[in-house]
Amino acid sequence: MTLPGWLYALSRRLGGPRILALPLLRMLALAAGWIWVMLAQDAVSRFTPLLWTMIAFTLYSGAIFVSLWLRPAAMLRLHVLVLISDLSFALALIVLSGGAQSTLFLALLLIAGLQSYYYGLRRGVVVTAAATAAYIAIAWTTIADVGWANMMIRLVMLVGTAAGVGLIGELEQAERTEAQRLRLEGIERERFIRDVVESLGEGVIVLASDYRIVLVNAVVEARHGIVGGEAVGRHFFTVFPEWTPTRIGPEIDRLLQGVGTRFVIEGLEHRTPRGDRLVLDVGGSVLRRDGRPAGVVLVKQDVTARVGLEQSARRAEKLAALGTLAAGLAHELNNPIGIISSRIEVMLMEAESQQLPPLLLEDLRVLHRHAMRVARIARGLLSFARPGRAENGPVDLNHVVEETLLLAEKQISHSGIKIVRSLAPGLPPIRGDATTLQQVVLNLITNASDAIAGAGEIRIETRVVSEQAGAVRLSVSDTGSGIPAEALPKIFDPFYTTKAEGTGLGLSVSHGIVRDHHGTIDVESRPGAGTTFVLTFPPAAQEPDA
């Protein structure tokens, strides 16, 4: 049942429906008193004092109503004074309306019952005893009109009402106390469970049987860029659209159908709304209610870093093996290529005096050009195999970037490509060789320029990574065509290239140089959305010994 607006407002101000009964019962007493005054024919001789008493009681009750509305807490603290006033008015009305014969004796039952119910059985007994004594005293001279039998029945009813209502009140209070205790225990248990879930290092998602999200913990919110309050109640695949039903849906359905109790999916890739790529191990457990599947608990472990380390380790092993092979191959190529290129140069110098045919002269130039290209490849192989460092000292990465741009910016700008710098001031130095680092930056900028067809932008940024003990980070981003997903794992492999004239050694050599500087090189790319290379170096003070 819905309370009217004003009654609901009054209930809230007084402290709940239980307290609301007090003014309502007072209104009932007022109505009963006025009905008796208006209809009792034997009260004509006493009408005038009775009427004034009822008017006074009505005004007094009105003052209580106003006080309850304006200052309910203060008014409720005056309950003893209100009790004395109510008893006084009730006894006065009984005297004025016939003493022992007065039906208004019922007001004493109401007062005694309310005192027992709201303030306990002990107070109810005390109030009942006082009311009984006062009633006998004022009705003593008129007892003969109703007889002792009727009088005793009234007194028994008065005592019985106070005792019965008091017992009910005590039992109800005990039940309310127990319910409150259980409610607080439930809240505390829920808070404890929530704290446990929030303290887990893994992401937790709880689903109902209809795939609606019931709970997500803070790890899920942070890693996936969602707000728990907005996710709860929504469909799982609406919040995580990349986890298509074909990837994880069958496993969840299997648990909800009672087939099995858990599942594990390893290496599940996911891209967050912020564009971050995550690799996750996802485990699911069935959530039961009354012995039947009622939902699923998903626990997600972010293994992106671990997978990255494993890939880096495999790549390092492969590059180390290739480096050994490349060193031997470069040595074997250098001597014959040197002889070939020098002989061709001699032939070209003699061609002017020998007056060789133009076609033969052009063939010699082609042979010389490609011999020089093979020589460059051989030098690249040597650099890849043994990058080395001419110097090893403090290097200002911002200065390396600026020096590199002095060489490349003008030529790149002529292609309609804008270069944007965002270099953090006061960047701590790193330890290494400025020349080889400049080679890395130049290679990244050149690759970025080659990836942009027409106008575009290359953004170069440096900053301090505070969460990695002050490491220094350099990122080179472009607005080019991006790298296909299937090509990403191969870009650091020697001889792998997508350029018609490329040697496939630029990124391999760069990877080796960064590794020699105890740094890491990562790439983020999406076809049509550009590419970002991220280089991270330890500060000079924290770089491990070579």
Side-chain angles (χ1 to χ4, degrees):
M1 179 179 177
T2 303
L3 294 175
W6 66 271
L7 203 55
Y8 178 73
L10 180 59
S11 171
R12 286 181 60 85
R13 287 186 67 85
L14 297 182
R18 188 167 179 265
I19 305 299
L20 180 62
L22 291 173
L24 294 181
L25 289 173
R26 181 172 294 276
M27 292 174 65
L28 177 63
L30 279 171
W34 279 110
I35 290 172
W36 193 93
V37 169
M38 295 302 179
L39 300 181
Q41 297 180 0
D42 60 345
V44 175
S45 61
R46 297 177 297 278
F47 183 74
T48 299
L50 184 60
L51 177 62
W52 283 111
T53 304
M54 276 302 301
I55 291 173
F57 180 65
T58 303
L59 294 175
Y60 154 74
S61 298
I64 289 180
F65 292 150
V66 173
S67 299
L68 279 173
W69 176 257
L70 296 178
R71 301 186 65 184
M75 190 63 214
L76 290 173
R77 286 195 294 268
L78 300 177
H79 55 87
V80 174
L81 181 60
V82 172
L83 167 64
I84 295 172
S85 300
D86 286 345
L87 276 175
S88 300
F89 274 109
L91 293 172
L93 289 171
I94 290 171
V95 171
L96 295 173
S97 59
Q101 298 181 18
S102 175
T103 310
L104 298 183
F105 160 79
L106 296 173
L108 297 180
L109 297 179
L110 180 61
I111 293 172
L114 288 175
Q115 294 298 314
S116 293
Y117 181 76
Y118 283 102
Y119 301 105
L121 181 59
R122 180 178 301 177
R123 175 161 166 173
V125 169
V126 173
V127 171
T128 301
T132 300
Y135 178 63
I136 292 174
I138 63 173
W140 182 261
T141 58
T142 57
I143 291 177
D145 296 336
V146 297
W148 277 102
N150 289 333
M151 177 60 70
M152 292 306 298
I153 290 174
R154 292 185 179 187
L155 296 179
V156 169
M157 288 297 296
L158 180 60
V159 175
T161 298
V165 173
L167 288 174
I168 293 174
E170 295 279 349
L171 291 174
E172 184 181 329
Q173 180 61 38
E175 291 179 356
R176 281 198 302 272
T177 302
E178 179 65 13
Q180 179 70 4
R181 185 185 67 81
L182 293 176
R183 188 180 73 85
L184 293 176
E185 284 185 359
I187 293 173
E188 185 61 31
R189 189 179 299 112
E190 181 180 351
R191 183 183 296 114
F192 175 75
I193 294 173
R194 166 64 74 169
D195 290 342
V196 170
V197 172
E198 294 294 348
S199 65
L200 293 175
E202 290 79 23
V204 177
I205 302 175
V206 180
L207 304 181
S209 57
D210 60 354
Y211 279 80
R212 300 288 171 182
I213 296 175
V214 177
L215 178 146
V216 295
N217 69 348
V219 174
V220 174
E221 295 179 7
R223 289 180 182 167
H224 295 271
I226 64 174
V227 178
E230 296 177 358
V232 171
R234 297 173 62 192
H235 197 277
F236 176 67
F237 292 123
T238 300
V239 180
F240 301 95
E242 291 196 5
W243 291 18
T244 56
T246 56
R247 301 175 69 187
I248 195 173
E251 297 292 343
I252 296 177
D253 289 337
R254 188 171 61 84
L255 296 186
L256 292 175
Q257 293 166 6
V259 182
T261 58
R262 57 176 49 87
F263 68 82
V264 176
I265 301 177
E266 295 183 348
L268 185 64
E269 293 191 4
H270 174 72
R271 190 169 293 277
T272 70
R274 296 178 299 196
D276 300 329
R277 175 182 168 274
L278 301 178
V279 181
L280 307 169
D281 286 349
V282 180
S285 301
V286 66
L287 182 64
R288 297 186 181 276
R289 182 172 296 165
D290 299 328
R292 301 173 61 183
V296 173
V297 178
L298 300 177
V299 179
K300 307 185 304 175
Q301 184 179 9
D302 188 349
V303 295
T304 308
R306 189 190 74 194
V307 171
L309 289 174
E310 292 174 353
Q311 292 176 346
S312 297
R314 288 194 296 268
R315 185 183 300 120
E317 291 175 0
K318 181 167 63 175
L319 291 177
L322 286 173
T324 303
L325 176 63
L329 181 61
H331 277 296
E332 293 299 324
L333 286 175
N334 263 337
N335 288 334
I337 286 301
I339 294 172
I340 291 172
S341 61
S342 62
R343 294 300 300 165
I344 293 175
E345 289 172 358
V346 170
M347 293 173 67
L348 285 172
M349 286 188 294
E350 293 177 351
E352 297 178 359
S353 60
Q354 297 294 330
Q355 297 182 349
L356 296 178
L359 185 59
L360 179 59
L361 195 60
E362 180 60 27
D363 287 341
L364 287 174
R365 292 193 181 99
V366 170
L367 289 174
H368 184 262
R369 185 165 61 251
H370 284 280
M372 297 305 295
R373 183 167 183 265
V374 174
R376 288 198 302 273
I377 293 175
R379 286 195 299 272
L381 284 173
L382 283 174
S383 179
F384 165 69
R386 295 190 301 272
R389 282 174 291 179
E391 298 180 3
N392 188 7
V395 176
D396 182 351
L397 201 55
N398 285 344
H399 182 71
V400 170
V401 172
E402 293 290 0
E403 288 293 316
T404 307
L405 291 178
L406 284 176
L407 300 175
E409 185 172 14
K410 187 173 182 180
Q411 181 179 354
I412 292 174
S413 299
H414 287 161
S415 303
I417 298 173
K418 180 182 179 182
I419 296 181
V420 179
R421 300 170 175 81
S422 180
L423 308 181
L427 201 67
I430 63 174
R431 179 166 289 278
D433 174 33
T435 302
T436 55
L437 288 174
Q438 186 174 339
Q439 179 183 347
V440 173
V441 176
L442 182 60
N443 182 57
L444 294 179
I445 295 174
T446 303
N447 286 350
S449 173
D450 293 341
I452 299 174
E457 180 179 288
I458 299 175
R459 175 174 289 273
I460 304 174
E461 178 182 359
T462 60
R463 66 183 181 92
V464 177
V465 188
S466 56
E467 59 268 23
Q468 295 185 21
V472 177
R473 179 163 293 173
L474 165 68
S475 62
V476 179
S477 306
D478 64 66
T479 58
S481 56
I483 303 173
E486 62 274 11
L488 276 175
K490 308 173 186 177
I491 61 173
F492 295 111
D493 293 349
F495 307 112
Y496 180 81
T497 181
T498 58
K499 302 177 185 178
E501 297 295 326
T503 64
L505 291 171
L507 286 177
S508 300
V509 172
S510 297
H511 184 277
I513 293 172
V514 172
R515 184 186 58 203
D516 278 357
H517 285 76
H518 308 289
T520 60
I521 180 169
D522 301 292
V523 59
E524 301 173 3
S525 184
R526 294 172 63 184
T531 302
T532 299
F533 282 89
V534 180
L535 284 63
T536 306
F537 300 95
Q542 298 182 10
E543 182 190 1
D545 294 334

